[in-house]
Amino acid sequence: MTAVPTPLELHRFKDAATGLDAVVAIDDLTLGPAFGGCRFRPYPDGAAVEADACRLAEGMTLKNALAGIPFGGGKAVLRRPPEAFDRSALFAAFGRHVDTLGGRYVTAMDAGTQTEDMDAIATGTRFVSGCSGQEGDPSPHTARGMAHGIRAAVHAELARGLDGVRIAIQGVGHVGAALAELLAADGAELLVADVDARQAQAVAAATGARAIHPGEILATPCDVLAPCAFGGVLDDAILPSLQCRIIAGAANNQLAHPGVATALAARGILYVPDFVINSGGVIHAALAWKGLDAASIASRVDRIGDTVAEILHRAKATNALAEDTAVALARSRLAAA
Ligand code: NAD
């Protein structure tokens, strides 16, 4: 387990009346107010909530810096109460606490939260994105950025467009399904897998993809493997069976540990850092909160392809890992601000 980073600010909010038990970690404010979603799930104890918030907040600093948005990094983690609770009262209480931070942290949707929760938060603060009427689902924007990133990676590594390129997508939920449609439109040959077999079949029918068993997708021969289900999927056990040239997926923290990046490079597999390629959702949520129009936001999401190309070019030129190059580029942007 990697060390827990120390954030700039750590706030713990408890509210006995509603069962709220939340941590807001503000990691960095160099580029602007900290922007990052609020996660809502069960945790074994307060220390686990705090550790998750600190790690996620640091990741948001890097992601936002590379995304080129005027926001620092922060994250909220809310412990889901084990007993029955009033959901809207809990999120409204959270909103009141977010407001006490005076705009240094802006919250948004994350795993376990939905538009209605953002609406409840908005009863207590204006520092929230993704409320009703604001097109809250970040997934189509994440998928759009992913498609640009995959095009850039295929161009850099295989010197071709996506026509006829074989792409395997693990998990065709909100992001994976939208990504499949975009890649199919570019002429890619798609393989999809999901533990929800009906979902995989539906996406296959809509995109012309071939649905395969979820147990086979990671080891299937392909040009690009796109893990779009859950984190930690690239571990020591799966490494020897991978048969892809590029890994570029939406799932956060795909590498089970940092050594996997080195092992992938040794096998000649290019790993495109997840926090670079999956930033379309946060770009949309953050810039929509700032009031930018849809076309301007879309053009910012489209720049993910350029960022991926720049990172891969620098990594190749310096014989470094794309992961390390991306972190260094984010840190240099922070240092220059
Ligand atoms: P989702 O829950 O809508 O989709 C995930 C899909 O993966 C589901 O259909 C699920 O059935 C499937 N799945 C789960 N385990 C699987 C397995 N072992 N094999 C194959 N399929 C499996 O989630 P999402 O919103 O599409 O996000 C996908 C990933 O991308 C998540 O890790 C998420 O944290 C990350 N991410 C999402 C966004 C976004 O905008 N939604 C942004 C950044 C990162």
Side-chain angles (χ1 to χ4, degrees):
M1 183 62 79
T2 49
V4 178
T6 306
L8 200 62
E9 297 179 28
L10 191 69
H11 303 274
R12 180 138 216 156
F13 299 127
K14 283 197 177 206
D15 181 65
T18 59
L20 174 73
D21 182 0
V23 166
V24 174
I26 296 178
D27 181 72
D28 197 284
L29 295 168
T30 307
L31 299 176
F35 192 101
C38 58
R39 187 159 285 199
F40 187 55
R41 46 164 281 202
Y43 282 85
D45 52 42
V49 176
E50 216 168 281
D52 213 16
C54 294
R55 287 199 186 95
L56 292 165
E58 185 186 47
M60 290 310 299
T61 298
L62 301 174
K63 184 184 274 203
N64 292 346
L66 286 174
I69 54 175
F71 288 92
K75 200 87 176 183
V77 175
L78 281 67
R79 191 175 180 187
R80 192 185 170 95
E83 63 282 347
F85 62 97
D86 179 336
R87 192 165 177 126
S88 59
L90 186 147
F91 280 97
F94 175 61
R96 292 193 293 277
H97 285 295
V98 166
D99 208 55
T100 65
L101 300 176
R104 293 198 305 290
Y105 168 67
V106 182
T107 199
M109 261 189 264
D110 198 77
T113 59
Q114 56 211 23
T115 307
E116 292 72 26
D117 301 328
M118 301 306 112
D119 289 342
I121 292 170
T123 62
T125 186
R126 64 189 172 89
F127 301 112
V128 55
S129 173
C131 299
S132 298
Q134 291 179 356
E135 201 206 329
D137 181 7
S139 310
H141 311 284
T142 302
R144 183 184 173 111
M146 294 270 321
H148 279 288
I150 289 174
R151 286 184 200 112
V154 167
H155 180 73
E157 192 69 5
L158 309 177
R160 58 182 292 189
L162 290 192
D163 195 22
V165 166
R166 186 180 246 231
I167 303 179
I169 307 178
Q170 180 196 40
V172 278
H174 288 90
V175 177
L179 177 64
E181 285 196 18
L182 294 170
L183 299 176
D186 271 23
E189 179 195 342
L190 297 178
L191 299 165
V192 297
D194 200 294
V195 286
D196 180 344
R198 278 199 304 188
Q199 174 68 5
Q201 288 299 343
V203 171
T207 62
R210 186 155 62 88
I212 65 172
H213 192 274
E216 291 170 11
I217 191 83
L218 294 177
T220 201
C222 59
D223 298 301
V224 182
L225 173 65
C228 297
F230 55 89
V233 69
L234 302 171
D235 59 16
D236 296 322
I238 199 70
L239 269 171
S241 53
L242 293 172
Q243 298 189 67
C244 53
R245 299 281 306 278
I246 298 168
I247 299 177
N252 287 310
N253 306 322
Q254 289 159 50
L255 305 174
H257 60 83
V260 176
T262 313
L264 287 171
R267 286 212 43 208
I269 299 173
L270 170 67
Y271 176 70
V272 182
D274 47 65
F275 60 93
V276 179
I277 201 167
N278 73 9
S279 62
V282 75
I283 292 173
H284 174 265
L287 297 183
W289 181 77
K290 273 189 95 67
L292 255 73
D293 61 280
S296 305
I297 297 174
S299 77
R300 301 291 289 269
V301 171
D302 293 352
R303 286 193 214 159
I304 290 174
D306 297 337
T307 307
V308 167
E310 181 183 354
I311 288 167
L312 298 187
H313 176 75
R314 283 182 185 221
K316 208 169 201 167
T318 55
N319 202 19
L321 295 174
E323 183 86 359
D324 295 343
T325 305
V327 172
L329 182 60
R331 295 272 175 229
S332 73
R333 283 187 183 174
L334 291 166

